[in-house]
Amino acid sequence: MKKLILGLAFAGSLMVNAQEKTKSTSPVTFGVKAGFNASVLTKYDGYDGYNNDQKLKPGFNAGVFVNVPVAEKFSVQPELLFSQLGSKTEEKEEIYNLNSVSYRREAEYTKTLNYLAVPVMVQYNILPQLYVEAGPEFGFLLGGKNKGDVTNINTSGNTTSTETTTFSGKIPMDLHNKFNFGIGIGAGYYFTQNFGVTARFTAGITDIYKHNNGDAIRNNAFQVGVAYKLK
């Protein structure tokens, strides 16, 4: 994580130098941005007796961008971001057998997925300070973490036993796709030539798991933040 932050800071310093060299002759602008992610994974329907409920998980994004005008009102903006995705999950599973013995499993956990994201947005300026955007986002999985609680409840006749365990650890990288692809749409407004606010929704296209025989599980994220152009 520290190496990634240092890398983004280094990239930002390079952009500052490049902006200083080109600002007098080129309309290309460089900038930095950061914001809040509210992400969720698409629901896995499972099977009879199984219920899976996904909830929004907070995270953050931060990085650098370059804005390249290609027409009077159009520009292309590639970005390089560190972005936290994932989901909060509640799972419930209940099984009965012929001997009136029931087994119930309840789990609440948070999955955090850390990506190096490369959105490439095509922006259209409705007004000089207001734009809308759309484009692909390419993500590269850096790692992640699962953290939560699992409760097992066994009932046999009038006897019920309950056991709760807590877990926390890194995600098994071998089970996850290292490449993530999504489509983003959004908008932004610049209060000054330098400072603006942004909002974007990115819908995942690829499955986060490698060998998933069931419903595809994809990243979805809503992002709000601020941007600063180095003019």
Side-chain angles (χ1 to χ4, degrees), residues 18-171:
Q19 183 71 15
E20 289 297 322
K21 292 179 181 179
T22 62
K23 65 180 179 181
S24 60
T25 60
S26 173
V28 174
T29 55
F30 298 86
V32 294
K33 64 183 302 186
F36 170 81
N37 289 350
S39 62
V40 68
L41 299 174
T42 56
K43 184 176 179 180
Y44 171 63
D45 290 335
Y47 46 84
D48 290 341
Y50 175 85
N51 182 48
N52 173 274
D53 187 19
Q54 301 288 342
K55 297 184 178 180
L56 291 173
K57 184 195 79 69
F60 75 94
N61 67 83
V64 294
F65 65 87
V66 56
N67 188 274
V68 183
V70 293
E72 182 180 356
K73 292 188 176 183
F74 284 93
S75 62
V76 177
Q77 181 166 296
E79 303 172 0
L80 180 64
L81 307 173
F82 172 79
S83 186
Q84 283 188 328
L85 302 179
S87 188
K88 287 186 175 180
T89 303
E90 292 183 359
E91 293 180 356
K92 293 183 180 180
E93 179 183 17
E94 192 158 3
I95 300 173
Y96 295 91
N97 63 23
L98 297 177
N99 297 321
S100 299
V101 176
S102 69
Y103 163 79
R104 189 163 77 250
R105 175 184 174 273
E106 298 179 357
E108 295 185 8
Y109 63 91
T110 299
K111 175 184 283 290
T112 300
L113 300 171
N114 298 323
Y115 286 93
L116 183 64
V118 185
V120 182
M121 295 290 114
V122 177
Q123 298 181 343
Y124 174 77
N125 282 89
I126 300 173
L127 300 171
Q129 69 273 30
L130 174 66
Y131 68 85
V132 291
E133 65 180 5
E137 178 175 298
F138 309 94
F140 305 92
L141 184 63
L142 302 174
K145 186 176 183 180
N146 290 321
K147 181 179 180 180
D149 301 309
V150 177
T151 300
N152 295 309
I153 304 169
N154 293 286
T155 301
S156 178
N158 297 322
T159 303
T160 299
S161 62
T162 301
E163 180 182 8
T164 299
T165 58
T166 299
F167 63 91
S168 177
K170 296 181 179 179
I171 62 169

Side-chain angles (χ1 to χ4, degrees), residues 85 115-121 134-140 179-185 200-208 218-221 223:
L85 302 179
Y115 286 93
L116 183 64
V118 185
V120 182
M121 295 290 114
E137 178 175 298
F138 309 94
F140 305 92
F179 176 74
N180 183 66
F181 178 73
I183 299 294
I185 57 172
R200 182 182 300 166
F201 174 76
T202 303
I205 303 297
T206 54
D207 196 326
I208 69 168
R218 306 179 179 94
N219 286 301
N220 289 324
Q223 302 170 319

